[in-house]
């Protein structure tokens, strides 16, 4: 059983979103991807976002991570207003504070696991050594393997090591286990959880797999561009106990 209590430092808000809307315009057609989202991410928490495809989860995550901007509303990271600072501020925010993990790993095929991670650590201010980052995700014995020599789950763990090697405050994961079977998916979730616990990285994870919500401190249900429900997990499960 994992500790259900949100970590002690969660009184602190890591990220605050207010009144977020996002409308995509394609010619004469408008798609309302977000219709007014208020959300606080607490420092050190693990948040899972559930909801049907097309309900706005990725749009929200991309805005929280500074990859996209809202049509209206504000996002604050500490004392930074991300929505009024322009592209330079967003670039600095992403570089210094945010790690991303996507469904597909986007590793460079001609570089080893260590070299893929080193690409990030070379430009970070206070990086974790690539060997240590890969050790944290259970790949300390695979440093010199190329992506093609690794399983899908191992490649995703290299991608996680790459995302956290710069010691980001936020780790944003969009369907990190979407392309994996249960066994390898669980190893990936264990890696994400270990980063959350050992580095205190505030983590938000999108999944279509409702079972995975049991590892979270809090679970958000999304529907039609809005938060329909936020609940705190009274009892959390370790990834190995998840069945799907
Ligand atoms: P989810 O992550 O829940 O599947 P998304 O945030 O990807 O949902 O999408 C929300 C809505 O916004 C969908 O209707 C989707 O088609 C639309 N959408 C997302 N990205 C774009 C885009 N770049 N251009 C136009 N429409 C988009």
């Amino acid at each position: 059983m994992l500790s259900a209590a949100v970590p002690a430092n969660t009184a602190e808000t890591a990220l605050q979103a207010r009144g977020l809307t996002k409308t995509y315009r394609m010619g004469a057609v408008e798609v309302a991807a977000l219709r007014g989202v208020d959300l606080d991410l607490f420092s050190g928490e693990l948040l899972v976002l559930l909801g049907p495809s097309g309900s706005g989860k990725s749009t929200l995550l991309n805005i929280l991570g500074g990859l996209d901007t809202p049509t209206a509303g504000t996002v604050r990271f500490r004392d930074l207003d991300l929505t009024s600072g322009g592209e330079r501020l967003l670039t600095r925010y992403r570089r210094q504070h945010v790690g991303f993990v996507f469904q597909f790993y986007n590793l460079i095929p001609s570089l080893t696991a260590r070299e893929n991670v080193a690409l990030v650590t070379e430009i970070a201010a206070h990086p974790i050594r690539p060997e240590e980052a890969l050790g944290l995700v259970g790949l300390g014995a695979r440093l010199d393997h190329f992506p093609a020599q690794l399983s899908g789950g191992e490649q995703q763990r290299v991608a996680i090591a790459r995302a956290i090697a710069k010691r980001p405050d936020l780790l944003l994961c969009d369907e990190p286990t979407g392309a994996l079977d249960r066994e390898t998916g669980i190893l990936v979730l264990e890696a994400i959880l270990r980063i959350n616990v050992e580095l205190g990285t505030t983590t938000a994870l999108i999944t279509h797999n409702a079972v995975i919500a049991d590892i979270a401190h809090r679970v958000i249900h999304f529907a039609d561009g809005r938060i329909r429900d936020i609940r705190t997990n009274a009892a959390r499960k370790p990834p190995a106990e998840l069945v799907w």
Side-chain angles (χ1 to χ4, degrees):
M1 183 75 70
L2 296 173
S3 160
V6 180
N9 58 351
T10 47
E12 210 179 287
T13 298
L15 202 60
Q16 183 189 67
R18 290 293 178 270
L20 291 185
T21 66
K22 179 71 178 180
T23 307
Y24 290 107
R25 285 189 185 78
M26 292 191 298
V29 181
E30 287 197 350
V31 177
L34 296 179
R35 299 168 185 267
V37 170
D38 298 329
L39 179 65
D40 287 344
L41 250 66
F42 301 123
S43 290
E45 79 169 326
L46 173 55
L47 184 74
V48 162
L49 289 96
L50 295 174
S53 179
S55 58
K57 305 181 298 297
S58 298
T59 301
L60 175 63
L61 209 72
N62 290 343
I63 292 172
L64 296 181
L67 284 175
D68 201 353
T69 53
T71 306
T74 57
V75 180
R76 294 189 72 81
F77 171 76
R78 298 184 184 152
D79 52 3
L80 285 183
D81 179 352
L82 300 180
T83 29
S84 67
E87 199 48 50
R88 279 173 70 115
L89 176 77
L90 286 183
T91 303
R92 190 155 51 88
Y93 166 67
R94 285 195 306 267
R95 190 172 295 161
Q96 293 180 353
H97 300 292
V98 190
F100 291 99
V101 176
F102 298 102
Q103 180 170 356
F104 299 104
Y105 329 118
N106 302 314
L107 301 177
I108 297 180
S110 58
L111 300 181
T112 63
R114 188 200 322 249
E115 290 165 344
N116 266 282
V117 177
L119 279 182
V120 171
T121 56
E122 280 162 13
I123 58 167
H126 307 288
I128 301 173
R129 287 184 308 113
E131 295 77 10
E132 194 187 333
L134 286 160
L136 272 170
V137 298
L139 290 178
R142 295 282 206 281
L143 302 177
D144 298 315
H145 286 59
F146 291 93
Q149 299 170 319
L150 298 169
S151 72
E154 288 166 345
Q155 290 183 55
Q156 185 61 300
R157 284 187 280 151
V158 176
I160 293 168
R162 179 182 57 186
I164 57 95
K166 62 181 173 186
R167 296 184 204 272
D169 297 283
L170 303 167
L171 180 64
L172 304 180
C173 310
D174 195 342
E175 293 280 5
T177 61
L180 304 174
D181 58 34
R182 174 181 175 272
E183 203 173 316
T184 47
I186 281 171
L187 292 174
V188 164
L189 294 176
E190 283 175 337
I192 290 170
L193 193 68
R194 184 167 177 198
I195 303 299
N196 174 249
V197 171
E198 293 194 14
L199 303 183
T201 313
T202 306
T203 304
L205 185 156
I206 291 177
T207 176
H208 67 271
N209 183 350
V211 170
I212 290 175
D214 286 348
I215 72 170
H217 293 107
R218 288 194 303 157
V219 184
I220 292 191
H221 278 92
F222 239 81
D224 200 21
R226 292 191 180 90
I227 294 177
R228 197 168 58 187
D229 175 60
I230 303 184
R231 69 178 163 86
T232 300
N233 267 336
R236 301 168 63 206
K237 278 189 187 164
E241 286 181 19
L242 303 181
V243 178
W244 72 82

